[in-house]
């Protein structure tokens, strides 16, 4: 698992980490947002870790995280609509649109 956050919230969360992919993600983020990575715990990441652990232990169904979406206005609308899908339910992209 790889996650990154800034003061606006969590902006990367990835379960699939392949060899060398963390460096590629860091490079992409550094270029796009002029980010500097520090090896220091961030409050948002501690909250993320706690809530992920609760989710996988069956104690949490709803996440209460500060998220920092990037993208076009349309993409941000889609990201926010995804947050409204209840636990245990799925919908198609057509239903979402």
């Amino acid at each position: 698992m790889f996650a990154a956050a800034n003061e606006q919230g969590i902006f990367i969360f990835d379960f699939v980490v392949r060899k060398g992919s963390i460096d590629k993600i860091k490079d992409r983020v550094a270029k796009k947002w002029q980010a500097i990575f520090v090896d220091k715990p961030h409050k948002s990441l501690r909250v993320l870790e706690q809530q992920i652990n609760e989710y996988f232990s069956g104690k949490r169904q709803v996440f209460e995280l500060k998220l920092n979406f990037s993208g076009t206005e349309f993409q941000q609308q889609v990201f926010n609509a995804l947050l409204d899908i209840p636990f245990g339910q799925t919908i198609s992209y057509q239903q979402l649109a």
Side-chain angles (χ1 to χ4, degrees), residues 28-89:
R28 188 176 69 230
V29 169
K31 288 176 185 170
K32 185 171 183 175
W33 290 289
Q34 293 77 44
I36 298 170
F37 286 85
V38 293
D39 193 19
K40 178 179 167 186
H42 190 281
K43 180 182 177 187
S44 294
L45 298 178
R46 288 191 300 268
V47 172
L48 171 64
E49 181 180 22
Q50 176 187 352
Q51 291 188 21
I52 288 292
N53 287 333
E54 291 169 357
Y55 175 80
F56 283 113
S57 67
K59 297 176 183 172
R60 176 174 290 277
Q61 295 182 355
V62 176
F63 289 90
E64 299 163 356
L65 300 167
K66 187 176 176 183
L67 303 175
N68 182 9
F69 296 127
S70 69
T72 66
E73 184 178 330
F74 173 76
Q75 289 170 323
Q76 291 191 28
Q77 289 174 355
V78 171
F79 297 146
N80 283 308
L82 292 171
L83 296 173
D84 292 331
I85 301 170
F87 176 81
Q89 292 187 14

Side-chain angles (χ1 to χ4, degrees), residues 5-18:
N6 58 19
E7 294 309 313
Q8 288 76 41
I10 298 164
F11 63 91
I12 293 176
F13 182 67
D14 193 343
F15 278 110
V16 182
V17 179
R18 295 173 192 90

